[in-house]
Amino acid sequence: MSNQEMSELKVGDIVKAEVRTGQYAGEIVELYGPRAVVKVLAVLKHPEQGDLHHPYNPDVAMFHERRALSYTEKTTVLLRDLKRYSEAIPDYKESLCAAAAAEIEQLDRLRRWSAQSLELMQQLQKEYQSIKN
């Protein structure tokens, strides 16, 4: 969103908000400085699990559970992380369940990719060890 578009945002606008690794549809309830307070109305993308500073690393000191923000929960968002949202706002519970299902599907694909990659790399490692100099 351009600076002009950000300055045109007003209380009551419906926006898509990026909050950490999640995305939400919500309503701006307050504007102050470079931030807005957004009331969550739907979940568009479920937050990722684990340590934000070490993504995809299961061996961190604390592997965080990240819950989606609750219905009508208010959160502070930088204006740069807001975009106008013009689609129909889905039902919160349905959007929450759909976002969780999409995240599970993505993680399952990543798990299957990782397993196939590991198997191929182990085969390659065996081949590499048999190479004569």
Side-chain angles (χ1 to χ4, degrees):
M1 183 175 278
S2 72
N3 284 342
Q4 182 181 356
E5 289 173 312
M6 285 191 285
S7 66
E8 292 174 2
L9 289 172
K10 61 187 181 310
V11 171
D13 283 352
I14 302 299
V15 294
K16 175 180 175 182
E18 303 268 342
V19 181
R20 295 178 213 66
T21 61
Q23 295 176 354
Y24 303 88
E27 177 186 354
I28 296 176
V29 294
E30 185 181 338
L31 289 166
Y32 62 97
R35 300 178 189 275
V37 176
V38 175
K39 178 172 65 172
V40 173
L41 301 174
V43 181
L44 304 176
K45 180 189 177 299
H46 196 281
E48 296 175 7
Q49 304 305 298
D51 188 329
L52 294 177
H53 303 290
H54 301 96
Y56 305 111
N57 183 354
D59 303 319
V60 291
M62 183 177 225
F63 196 91
H64 298 275
E65 174 189 88
R66 301 224 182 286
R67 292 179 169 270
L69 297 175
S70 301
Y71 181 63
T72 69
E73 181 174 348
K74 292 173 184 72
T75 186
T76 302
V77 184
L78 288 169
L79 293 178
R80 70 171 189 231
D81 294 332
L82 296 176
K83 292 184 175 132
R84 293 191 186 283
Y85 189 77
S86 57
E87 299 174 38
I89 299 172
D91 173 77
Y92 176 82
K93 185 175 179 184
E94 289 175 13
S95 71
L96 175 64
C97 291
E103 189 69 14
I104 289 168
E105 183 178 321
Q106 182 180 347
L107 289 169
D108 183 57
R109 286 186 58 163
L110 181 60
R111 179 191 56 80
R112 290 182 289 120
W113 173 86
S114 180
Q116 286 183 316
S117 294
L118 178 60
E119 186 178 318
L120 290 173
M121 287 305 303
Q122 288 170 334
Q123 289 174 8
L124 286 171
Q125 186 178 36
K126 287 177 187 175
E127 286 180 32
Y128 295 160
Q129 289 173 346
S130 68
I131 295 175
K132 295 184 179 157
N133 291 340

